[in-house]
Amino acid sequence: MTSTTSAPNGRGELRDQPQTTRGDATTATPTALDPALLGGADRGADRRRWIALAIVMTAAFMDLVDVTIVNIAIPSIQRSEHTTFSQIQWITAGYALAFAAGLVTGGRLGDIHGRRRIFLLGMGGFTLASALCGLAANPEMLVAARIAQGATAALMVPQVLSIVHATFPAHERGKVFGLFGAIVGLGAVSGPLLGALLIEWNPFGLEWRAIFLINLPVGVAGLILGRRFITESKAPHALKLDLVGVALVTGGLLMLLYPLTRGHETGWPLWGHISMAGSLVVFAALVAYERRKTARDGSPLIELSLFKVKSFAAGIAVQTVFGIALGVFFLVWTLYLQTGLGWSVLKAGLTGIPFSLAVSVAAGVSVQKLVPRFGRKVLQAGALLMAAGVLLYLAESERYGLALTPWQMALPLVVMGAGMGLIVAPLTDAILSGVPREHAGSASGLISTVQQMGNALGLGLVAVVFFGVMEDHLLPAEIGPAFVDAFEYALGWVAAVLLAIFLLMFALPGRASEADHEAAEAVESVDEAEREGQLVP
């Protein structure tokens, strides 16, 4: 039975090389980045990989912040650029659509051409697109630059988990994914806070442009350091880009996400429902084509064999539904604070600090202390804890209404943040635990894609569970109470989705065990046999 690990090829690259296992004994090819196997002489390599981790985590944080920071700046953009509502919609939606549509392709490009190479290409493009956003002369240029940002982020982001998966040995990845979960939590709420601070301070009179131009020094530093410290890794077999698969994935995602993004603005027309239904047909055609592509030349865009690994298949389902819950909550929460309660941008941004801190602390503790001992129960506890925080928030809102203060929100936000922290870090590790390293890029792209799909579905549901319970035309005195009532209604739905996630988590493995790794090895053996013509699907 064969599996893969990363070994140097003599040019500073990591190739996922075969390793042999027999019974309980394992003979592993040492990696250039594993001083625990190679001895103290490679402490320099150990330092390099942690610097590389800091670089890719910074890139992930930059993307997460950029997704949320724009919402805070929308009023400022609208005032200074006289944008229409449709243009404002595209400034936010254009990024999300380009990002979601390109994630799987970006992950596979990393497997084929090198994860470091595609990561640096994506970071360079993202930095350039950020500069174009900050220097946009008109709304049309800003929309185009935002779409370019999303497309280049789709090259950069899938490589983050791929590089981690290929660089760190299994016994260290739990700690690393704990750090990743903390970054996710920080990025989720620090975007609005950072945007609020930049707009309030208005450095150099840049106003809203500062939220994009701040990416420039971070991106340039990442490019310089990334070339030096990130070690290249590729799939062990020569793969080709599946252009038909790219077209089907992109088309299917756009058919699903575009109507969801524009549905509320356009009044949910018939063409939108037809498009969403048609996307299911496209996805079915994608699965059939990828099966034939695998049998023909072993270079599909999406490795369907990944779904033979129970942890991956179950984790993808949980990730999708979890994305729905987050998509609903964060949007309605922002609208509730700024429009319903009438708070300033800065006050709304500062309110999220307890949530952010709770996510970061819980993410680190869950992976390093709790998951090794309690396994899946930690994730399920996180879902229940997050649901309890949502219900506590609902009770506080019903009690205090428009008079609710940030201090009274602190406890519900801490409980919710702790629950989210228990989920985000170990969930990523659980999904990737049984994935063969040669497919790390494809798997990472799928994880990010389904998360974006879940978020888009959540944003679409906002039109039903939030705006759907408000009248179309409200008097100024009616806006606050209407938004509070709608927020409370939406919280009930979020709690219900979190309970559904708790039930879905029963499909996850009870704890991280050797079963997942054995399944990964079996997948690799089947893939190898299929490539050599030994098996006929």
Side-chain angles (χ1 to χ4, degrees):
M1 185 175 292
T2 62
S3 64
T4 61
T5 186
S6 298
N9 66 2
R11 297 190 303 275
E13 298 181 357
L14 288 177
R15 286 281 184 173
D16 299 331
Q17 299 292 338
Q19 77 182 46
T20 303
T21 60
R22 181 173 298 171
D24 294 330
T26 301
T27 304
T29 303
T31 76
L33 297 176
D34 194 352
L37 295 178
L38 294 178
D42 283 275
R43 289 177 182 173
D46 181 66
R47 181 177 64 87
R48 287 173 61 88
R49 64 174 170 173
W50 289 104
I51 295 175
L53 176 65
I55 295 167
V56 297
M57 290 297 186
T58 300
F61 181 78
M62 188 167 61
D63 164 69
L64 288 165
V65 167
D66 211 76
V67 171
T68 56
I69 199 172
V70 173
N71 293 332
I72 287 290
I74 287 299
S76 179
I77 295 173
Q78 201 164 21
R79 285 193 303 269
S80 63
E81 301 300 318
H82 307 290
T83 54
T84 65
F85 180 78
S86 179
Q87 289 169 335
I88 288 295
Q89 187 84 356
W90 272 105
I91 289 170
T92 55
Y95 182 99
L97 288 172
F99 185 48
L103 279 166
V104 176
T105 304
R108 184 47 107 197
L109 285 172
D111 290 337
I112 296 172
H113 298 292
R115 290 146 192 162
R116 182 184 70 171
R117 178 181 298 175
I118 300 301
F119 173 80
L120 294 176
L121 178 64
M123 175 169 272
F126 187 86
T127 304
L128 177 60
S130 297
L132 293 175
C133 287
L135 301 173
N138 51 56
E140 292 78 13
M141 181 177 174
L142 180 56
V143 169
R146 283 288 287 169
I147 292 173
Q149 258 194 325
T152 51
L155 294 176
M156 177 177 68
V157 172
Q159 315 315 322
V160 173
L161 294 180
S162 301
I163 289 170
V164 170
H165 194 65
T167 300
F168 287 85
H171 71 276
E172 287 188 342
R173 285 201 295 267
K175 182 191 298 183
V176 172
F177 285 126
L179 294 174
F180 181 76
I183 291 293
V184 170
L186 285 171
V189 292
S190 60
L193 176 59
L194 179 59
L197 291 173
L198 287 172
I199 293 171
E200 288 284 332
W201 291 341
N202 191 21
F204 307 107
L206 291 171
E207 296 182 339
W208 60 268
R209 299 177 187 275
I211 69 170
F212 298 112
L213 296 178
I214 196 175
N215 289 335
L216 269 61
V218 179
V220 171
L223 285 170
I224 295 172
L225 296 174
R227 287 182 59 86
R228 180 177 179 183
F229 291 104
I230 298 176
T231 301
E232 185 62 283
S233 63
K234 297 180 180 180
H237 304 283
L239 301 173
K240 297 179 181 179
L241 184 61
D242 177 9
L243 295 178
V244 175
V246 169
L248 289 172
V249 165
T250 304
L253 287 172
L254 289 177
M255 289 173 66
L256 174 65
L257 300 181
Y258 181 80
L260 283 173
T261 304
R262 297 293 307 281
H264 178 69
E265 179 190 2
T266 56
W268 299 103
L270 178 61
W271 65 262
H273 294 85
I274 294 175
S275 177
M276 288 187 285
S279 69
L280 301 178
V281 177
V282 174
F283 288 137
L286 171 67
V287 171
Y289 176 80
E290 293 298 277
R291 285 175 176 168
R292 290 197 299 271
K293 178 73 172 173
T294 301
R296 186 166 64 246
D297 59 18
S299 293
L301 177 67
I302 298 174
E303 290 289 344
L304 298 178
S305 59
L306 292 173
F307 292 92
K308 298 174 184 176
V309 181
K310 181 181 177 182
S311 60
F312 183 82
I316 285 291
V318 172
Q319 182 80 293
T320 304
V321 182
F322 190 52
I324 293 174
L326 297 183
V328 172
F329 175 75
F330 283 116
L331 179 57
V332 300
W333 187 42
T334 301
L335 294 170
Y336 162 73
L337 293 179
Q338 295 189 50
T339 305
L341 300 183
W343 290 1
S344 68
V345 172
L346 186 57
K347 184 177 180 180
L350 291 172
T351 301
I353 290 178
F355 181 92
S356 178
L357 294 175
V359 171
S360 300
V361 173
V365 172
S366 66
V367 172
Q368 297 180 37
K369 303 293 184 182
L370 300 178
V371 171
R373 183 174 181 182
F374 300 106
R376 179 185 65 202
K377 295 177 181 178
V378 176
L379 284 85
Q380 292 182 299
L384 292 179
L385 194 61
M386 200 170 176
V390 170
L391 294 176
L392 185 58
Y393 207 149
L394 174 59
E396 293 280 273
S397 180
E398 289 179 341
R399 180 178 179 182
Y400 296 105
L402 292 171
L404 189 61
T405 66
W407 295 107
Q408 292 162 335
M409 294 181 188
L411 178 59
L413 289 175
V414 167
V415 175
M416 287 181 61
M420 181 173 171
L422 293 179
I423 296 173
V424 290
L427 179 58
T428 303
D429 192 20
I431 296 174
L432 288 176
S433 62
V435 171
R437 289 192 181 190
E438 66 176 277
H439 300 319
S442 180
S444 300
L446 281 170
I447 292 172
S448 300
T449 297
V450 298
Q451 183 179 16
Q452 290 300 312
M453 286 180 59
N455 282 330
L457 290 169
L459 292 172
L461 286 173
V462 168
V464 177
V465 303
F466 187 76
F467 291 111
V469 298
M470 290 192 294
E471 296 182 6
D472 292 334
H473 303 287
L474 295 171
L475 297 174
E478 297 173 334
I479 292 177
F483 270 67
V484 170
D485 290 342
F487 177 65
E488 293 170 359
Y489 183 75
L491 286 184
W493 279 96
V494 172
V497 173
L498 289 168
L499 292 176
I501 291 171
F502 168 77
L503 296 176
L504 274 175
M505 285 177 176
F506 279 106
L508 293 172
R511 62 176 64 243
S513 65
E514 292 300 318
D516 285 337
H517 299 290
E518 291 174 3
E521 292 171 358
V523 168
E524 289 173 347
S525 298
V526 171
D527 288 348
E528 182 68 27
E530 288 179 351
R531 279 189 289 269
E532 295 175 359
Q534 296 173 7
L535 293 179
V536 179

